[in-house]
Amino acid sequence: MTTLFKPVSWNVQSLVDSVHSGAVQLPDLQRPFVWPKSKIRDLLDSMYRGYPVGEIMFWNVSQEDTSRAISGASDRKGSHQIIDGQQRLTSLYAVFKGKSVRDADYNSRSIVISFNPFTEKFEVLNKAIERSSQWIQNISEFFRSPVDAQFEFIERFERANGPMEREEYKSLVTTLNHLNNLRNYDFTVVEIQDHADKKVVADIFVRINSEGVSLKASDFILTWLSVFWPDGREKLEDFARNSRLTPQRASEIAEHPVRWTPINNYLAVDAGQLVRVLVAVGQNRAKLGDAYNALQAKDRSTGFVAADRQEAELAKLQAALPLVLKDLHWTEFIRCLAVAGFKSRKMLTSDMNVLSSYALWLIGRTRFNVDLTVLRNLMARWLFMSQLSGRYTGSAETQLQKDLDRLLAIEGDDSEAFVTVFETIIAAELSDDFWTLRMPDSLISSASALSPAYQTYLAALNILDADMFMLNNKVQQWMDPSLPVVKGTEGHHLNPRKYLENVVGIKDLKKINQVANFAPTDWSTNILISDRDPEEYWPALVAERGFEGESLQRQMFWHALPQDWEKMGYEEFLHQRRILMAQVTRDGYERLKSGKSIASPVFKVSARPATSVETEVADLIDMGILSSGVFLIPADDSIRLRAEVTQDGVVVIDGHEFSTLDAAAHHSGADNVPGADFWQKENESGEQIPLRHLMNRVQQ
């Protein structure tokens, strides 16, 4: 029997040198991923103490079309490809070579680990370590030139503390020699031999990475594509990479203008999300598990792969991929989001809604040849309805499969039948009962950024070309992500917080921060309102801003203000305003349906990167916003969980560590909401303070 693998000893220096030269490479079998810095620190600490840190697995075959180098390494094609151990090897490469790496969002990221030779402790670099003379601040510099680094450390230490004693110096040298000897730490590398079949290697990868890790169905499909259609996998990765406006990407676009880019103000897709669209269009499947099983094409009775079935399933994806990634298709679909009144990513509360709608748009355009103008309005209303009704929340795959099956039942390519299917569903969802009962109920929420109903109400204001609260400036301008951020332009309480707390006696922030108590206005208006009783400030505000007659009526309609609202009790005000907000949203939908929407497509992409360092937990600790031991809870009180901030600069949820607020929010079920809007800080008294407010306060 031929041996499939053999164990081989590799030391750290050989590993990182081989990665740097390109002899060892990262195959497309694995997702781009870098550990939290605290985990890299712990890896180095275990190695320093001589503890085992696990095996690494290579595939000993040069696959010219299936490899890509770890970011920063040579692009030479390698003879060893990493099957298991990417996180460890990428981390060691970054530390020993001082190289930045690409994280899952394709951002360039530096890893700086410090070492205290007196306590023999590793730590992630922080402000306290930067000020201390007791630490080698960046061990990457030490590994680059141990002698120079040792000399510089001693100089710095003696400037701060005076000359070292002889014994102290001898102990220091011994410790630093031990640190330098980390490059000789031996890993056991399991090398899969070059005669192994691709299908076997893919199976090994899936089995290994399924242990202790929650792999998504899309990961299995991406693995399958990497083995059987690497070019298709790479095209998905390229599209995902190019959809992110990272600082480096912004610089590339500025230096080398391109004809088209998938960057937009709504969604930075990843390869897994594109897989969902791909299998929906190509295989007519919404459930990724079913799609993966179809791609494996195993005969249920024999367990063997049916090659003809497998080839047929692959052919479906190969035919669908150009449609999914076509620039005109993507651009026209993004236009639907703008027509529906949505201006930015923040307004879209579900990625699944966007992805499902894109798949349906593609089917309408390519399979049924629906007129582009008709399809644009139809899918704009579909997006509006789907977010408002929560169509693709909960059992999203099941719902999408039902929608796909409805289209599959249409004979031929009847475009009118396609339109009829969607019109029927929309009419059934947005019934009179929906507008008068369900939507007002759905506005009972204290998390405006997470509320699909509230964000859709704002979209309706855009469609209606509404002005901001007691201003002559358009809501559309306030929400336009391509325009510079205007300080103090945001949603503000109609019943001020201090008034509710001190006069009405309501202390519960969830009641105070109900979405029905917010209106989009500017800081100067908020200053004028101050902490006053609405019955006091409202007449004064109306008089000062000069609103009367028709202009005042428009203001009261757009912002859903009941007659004599300023005199109402708070609970009655909320109840009546929710009803009126639903009416405004309905009016916006009817305007959209008529084709007279004022919402204009926005194709200028914000110059601000899609990802921001402000959501790094370690940065927020340095800014004094967070501290070790603080608990974070979701702004949406329907999500029951608590996250703890640790001294390692990460957030821990049920044993999972996250270095950014965004990643922690995504893990908790927030598809499309920035972490700063998703999380609230819980102080010692139990008060919950939105992190966005704390961050804005520091930045001001």
Side-chain angles (χ1 to χ4, degrees):
M1 182 176 178
T2 305
T3 303
L4 189 64
F5 65 89
K6 65 178 181 179
V8 179
S9 180
W10 287 62
N11 65 34
V12 170
Q13 192 65 57
S14 297
L15 286 169
V16 297
D17 285 346
S18 296
V19 170
H20 191 67
S21 69
V24 172
Q25 289 203 341
L26 168 69
D28 282 341
L29 292 174
Q30 289 206 288
R31 301 159 290 166
F33 176 75
V34 177
W35 276 346
K37 295 175 184 177
S38 60
K39 202 161 187 177
I40 301 170
R41 174 205 63 195
D42 294 343
L43 171 66
L44 293 168
D45 183 71
S46 294
M47 292 167 58
Y48 183 82
R49 299 178 191 285
Y51 298 165
V53 294
E55 297 176 336
I56 291 174
M57 186 177 290
F58 290 165
W59 181 14
N60 290 349
V61 58
S62 179
Q63 292 288 331
E64 297 262 331
D65 59 349
T66 59
S67 292
R68 67 170 180 269
I70 290 177
S71 175
S74 166
D75 58 2
R76 166 187 159 190
K77 295 301 177 185
S79 56
H80 304 286
Q81 297 180 354
I82 307 166
I83 299 301
D84 185 43
Q86 178 206 344
Q87 295 91 334
R88 279 165 290 166
L89 192 48
T90 304
S91 302
L92 291 172
Y93 174 74
V95 169
F96 277 81
K97 292 296 186 180
K99 299 291 186 178
S100 60
V101 294
R102 296 286 185 187
D103 62 16
D105 284 324
Y106 304 97
N107 291 307
S108 181
R109 182 176 171 191
S110 296
I111 299 171
V112 182
I113 304 296
S114 306
F115 179 72
N116 188 321
F118 303 108
T119 62
E120 297 182 77
K121 179 181 179 182
F122 293 88
E123 191 54 83
V124 178
L125 180 66
N126 55 42
K127 298 294 184 183
I129 290 175
E130 287 181 348
R131 295 190 294 267
S132 173
S133 62
Q134 303 274 331
W135 293 79
I136 296 174
Q137 294 187 2
N138 187 351
I139 61 173
S140 296
E141 297 177 1
F142 175 85
F143 290 126
R144 179 177 55 81
S145 180
V147 174
D148 290 343
Q150 177 177 313
F151 179 75
E152 291 171 3
F153 172 77
I154 293 173
E155 264 196 340
R156 184 179 182 216
F157 177 84
E158 291 186 336
R159 280 199 305 269
N161 304 282
M164 281 188 181
E165 298 290 338
R166 179 178 177 82
E167 291 302 317
E168 188 178 27
Y169 177 79
K170 288 172 60 179
S171 176
L172 173 68
V173 171
T174 300
T175 299
L176 294 182
N177 285 338
H178 185 41
L179 176 65
N180 190 42
N181 202 42
L182 278 180
R183 64 180 76 245
N184 297 318
Y185 182 94
D186 283 325
F187 276 86
T188 296
V189 177
V190 177
E191 297 186 2
I192 300 175
Q193 299 306 291
D194 56 8
H195 56 74
D197 187 86
K198 283 185 176 183
K199 289 179 285 189
V200 174
V201 176
D203 192 39
I204 291 172
F205 168 79
V206 169
R207 293 186 184 206
I208 288 174
N209 286 275
S210 296
E211 296 177 2
V213 178
S214 179
L215 279 185
K216 295 176 291 187
S218 59
D219 294 315
F220 294 119
I221 295 175
L222 287 170
T223 296
W224 191 92
L225 290 175
S226 296
V227 173
F228 295 99
W229 189 28
D231 182 59
R233 166 68 189 269
E234 189 58 37
K235 288 178 179 178
L236 291 171
E237 292 283 2
D238 284 344
F239 192 94
R241 186 181 303 113
N242 292 333
S243 75
R244 285 162 167 76
L245 189 63
T246 62
Q248 179 173 341
R249 180 74 177 132
S251 176
E252 290 172 357
I253 292 173
E255 293 178 7
H256 306 287
V258 292
R259 183 178 65 86
W260 181 83
T261 172
I263 293 173
N264 61 88
N265 295 317
Y266 301 101
L267 186 64
V269 294
D270 59 43
Q273 291 174 319
L274 291 171
V275 162
R276 183 173 295 284
V277 180
L278 179 64
V279 301
V281 176
Q283 296 175 281
N284 211 69
R285 295 182 183 273
K287 297 182 178 181
L288 296 186
D290 291 347
Y292 180 61
N293 290 335
L295 291 170
Q296 286 186 305
K298 286 185 178 180
D299 186 285
R300 292 184 179 180
S301 59
T302 66
F304 294 116
V305 172
D308 55 340
R309 282 171 45 200
Q310 192 171 70
E311 290 175 3
E313 292 298 324
L314 175 58
K316 292 177 183 178
L317 298 187
Q318 290 174 329
L321 186 64
L323 306 178
V324 174
L325 303 186
K326 187 175 181 178
D327 54 0
L328 179 61
H329 290 165
W330 181 251
T331 300
E332 283 294 345
F333 173 72
I334 293 299
R335 189 185 298 272
C336 294
L337 289 163
V339 170
F342 300 110
K343 290 295 179 181
S344 68
R345 177 183 179 88
K346 183 178 180 180
M347 296 184 70
L348 300 170
T349 56
S350 169
D351 283 352
M352 187 63 183
N353 183 27
V354 178
L355 297 169
S356 299
S357 298
Y358 182 41
L360 297 171
W361 185 97
L362 285 168
I363 291 171
R365 186 65 182 142
T366 63
R367 190 185 304 171
F368 291 92
N369 299 309
V370 180
D371 176 79
L372 189 57
T373 303
V374 173
L375 186 62
R376 183 184 302 133
N377 181 270
L378 179 66
M379 294 311 298
R381 288 187 287 122
W382 182 264
L383 284 158
F384 192 97
M385 176 276 294
S386 297
Q387 171 153 309
L388 191 54
S389 64
R391 186 172 188 80
Y392 297 113
T393 56
S395 302
E397 287 189 336
T398 300
Q399 183 59 68
L400 177 58
Q401 189 62 59
K402 290 178 180 178
D403 294 335
L404 292 172
D405 290 344
R406 288 185 178 97
L407 299 180
L408 198 62
I410 299 174
E411 294 185 6
D413 57 357
D414 187 344
S415 61
E416 291 185 4
F418 176 92
V419 173
T420 298
V421 166
F422 283 84
E423 292 286 12
T424 301
I425 295 172
I426 293 173
E429 285 288 342
L430 301 185
S431 63
D432 288 341
D433 283 347
F434 176 87
W435 294 115
T436 58
L437 298 174
R438 285 178 55 195
M439 185 176 175
D441 282 349
S442 67
L443 288 166
I444 303 175
S445 170
S446 61
S448 60
L450 304 176
S451 170
Y454 182 70
Q455 294 299 330
T456 311
Y457 160 72
L458 294 178
L461 292 183
N462 287 332
I463 293 170
L464 296 169
D465 199 32
D467 290 338
M468 294 170 66
F469 177 69
M470 299 309 287
L471 295 167
N472 289 314
N473 300 325
K474 299 297 181 185
V475 173
Q476 288 198 69
Q477 296 171 346
W478 168 53
M479 294 181 180
D480 189 343
S482 68
L483 297 178
V485 176
V486 180
K487 180 179 177 181
T489 304
E490 54 187 274
H492 288 294
H493 294 99
L494 293 171
N495 283 266
R497 174 180 171 179
K498 293 298 183 183
Y499 161 73
L500 291 173
E501 289 178 336
N502 300 332
V503 179
V504 181
I506 297 175
K507 306 294 184 181
D508 187 346
L509 279 180
K510 287 185 173 62
K511 289 186 177 180
I512 293 171
N513 290 333
Q514 286 289 300
V515 297
N517 193 31
F518 281 93
T521 190
D522 67 354
W523 190 254
S524 63
T525 304
N526 191 54
I527 292 296
L528 185 62
I529 292 172
S530 187
D531 300 329
R532 293 188 290 170
D533 182 333
E535 196 168 358
E536 176 187 347
Y537 82 71
W538 174 243
L541 184 61
V542 170
E544 177 168 314
R545 297 290 166 85
F547 286 100
E548 59 182 355
E550 187 177 337
S551 65
L552 181 58
Q553 288 302 311
R554 282 197 302 269
Q555 275 284 326
M556 295 188 68
F557 169 74
W558 287 327
H559 300 290
L561 300 176
Q563 192 66 36
D564 297 325
W565 69 273
E566 71 277 15
K567 300 175 183 178
M568 289 181 173
Y570 185 57
E571 292 295 340
E572 178 62 17
F573 162 74
L574 293 177
H575 174 70
Q576 294 296 332
R577 188 163 188 250
R578 290 177 188 127
I579 294 172
L580 293 178
M581 289 170 75
Q583 291 179 11
V584 173
T585 308
R586 184 175 193 174
D587 195 71
Y589 172 76
E590 294 298 334
R591 178 75 64 86
L592 176 61
K593 184 178 180 181
S594 72
K596 298 178 180 178
S597 169
I598 304 299
S600 56
V602 176
F603 293 104
K604 294 180 181 178
V605 180
S606 170
R608 300 185 296 280
T611 54
S612 173
V613 296
E614 70 179 3
T615 55
E616 287 275 351
V617 177
D619 291 337
L620 297 179
I621 291 174
D622 287 341
M623 294 164 65
I625 294 172
L626 297 178
S627 60
S628 176
V630 163
F631 285 98
L632 304 179
I633 62 172
D636 185 348
D637 53 12
S638 68
I639 303 175
R640 303 289 184 179
L641 60 84
R642 296 176 88 198
E644 183 176 6
V645 179
T646 74
Q647 62 181 4
D648 297 329
V650 297
V651 169
V652 178
I653 305 173
D654 296 331
H656 298 279
E657 293 184 349
F658 305 95
S659 60
T660 69
L661 296 177
D662 294 342
H666 185 73
H667 172 81
S668 304
D671 277 349
N672 216 15
V673 180
D677 295 319
F678 180 82
W679 295 107
Q680 296 183 118
K681 176 181 176 181
E682 188 175 58
N683 63 21
E684 294 179 357
S685 66
E687 183 182 16
Q688 298 151 10
I689 308 169
L691 283 181
R692 179 68 71 189
H693 291 183
L694 296 175
M695 291 160 61
N696 289 343
R697 192 179 303 165
V698 170
Q699 292 167 356
Q700 289 173 1

